[in-house]
Amino acid sequence: MAGQRNGRTVHDLRRENRAAVLQRLYFDGPMSRFTLGPATGLSSGSISNVVAELVTEGWVEEAGSVESDGGRPRTLLRVAPGRGQLIGVDVGETRVRVELFDLSLSELARAERPLNPKVHDVDTITAHIRDGISEVLDAAGGTDERLLGVGIGVPGIVAREGELGALVHGQTIGWDAVPLESLLRATGQLPASVPYFIDNGAKTLGQAEMWFGAGRGTRNAVVVLFGSGVGACVVTEDVEQGRAVEWGHLTVRVQGRRCRCGSLGCLEAYAGAEALLERWQEAGGRPPGGSDEEGALTAMLDAAYPQDGGTADPVALMVLEETAEYLGAGLSDLINLFQPERILVGGWAGLQLGQRFLTAVKRHIPTYALSYPAGRVTIDLGRLGPDAVTVGAATLPLADFFTRGGRRAAPVREAELPGWQTALEGRTPK
């Protein structure tokens, strides 16, 4: 067919060229037109055409100049940070956090809604997400005209099913095939031109660390997430965007403690923040009354590792030392299975725990991991802090923006909405 080559149309090639320029400018810019050519593999003519389009549309702007060898200074280009906006949502165990970013992922506004860790009512969380989106847009004076999409990180497995879109299978929070995307879309809060992207929270954390944090430059890595529960994201050369794995539900003790998922002996039943605090109390410890989960975990760590040189609480220390071995064994399983170059520990609980006893965890690796892969892996803390899941969620629409070469997603047709609403009947837990 005329206009096609190897199954790709001229439109496909133009989109790919635009995507190549946008991604190179985003991650390595500012750059000149002269350096964009070798960096992208495109001809000078293609670079000129693509850059002219992107500048005209406002996605690319000038960012100063640099001296050239004997000629005129070369104009530097960058992706215009204010041209678009992104929303990232973290549906955690203790809160729903919503953040609005510009294209450089600088935070413009945020909203938070607390959750009862024992109750994850679907209607409540859906309302929190909707209200949070409205709040951050209003706070920043933003409009949905610049909004490129909403990314949402959730606990559990995410699958897609026809008109229902993303279904969340969150066994630990009582969600069975919850059509979260359709529930949000059915409200009509955002126009059909604004897409939703929903994925596992550990995967969004992993993508954030690989793009902007401690994983940059690494081809094979595992990013682990510690919150109330435990999860992980595996990034390999075959799966560059990462794959969520239910590491927290790996069996570490046969006939062990009952996990939130209902199974026995899961790692999460020993190493998640919720389980840690329960084990401390069961062993005779005294978590502070009235504290939320984050405050209680801080108190436990302070008791086990006093900063003022005081006497350690033997019960808290015993539980944490036992947990260090469970984590050492769990990380060893990841090392043996995936042989990563790097393991990164993140999540609010992971950062707290890692700062205090990551060294103790590492001491158990030689006991449980094969020596060859264990000798070639580094284990470090993530760099993006406790908000990394939200940042990672915002990278979902950003990645789609790159894939489309700076074109907006096609609007959802209004005719599809009744089908969604019909399909929702009987699918949402009460």
Side-chain angles (χ1 to χ4, degrees), residues 367-382:
T367 304
Y368 297 99
L370 296 171
S371 58
Y372 181 80
R376 286 157 178 77
V377 66
T378 59
I379 303 174
D380 297 300
L381 295 179

Side-chain angles (χ1 to χ4, degrees), residues 200-213 215 222-225 232-235 240-242 344 384 388-389 392 395:
N200 176 271
K203 181 178 175 181
T204 70
L205 169 70
Q207 185 155 301
E209 287 288 352
M210 296 302 290
W211 278 23
F212 306 109
V222 177
V223 183
V224 296
L225 168 64
C233 172
V234 177
V235 181
E240 293 182 4
Q241 301 302 320
L344 302 175
L384 299 182
V389 172
T395 68

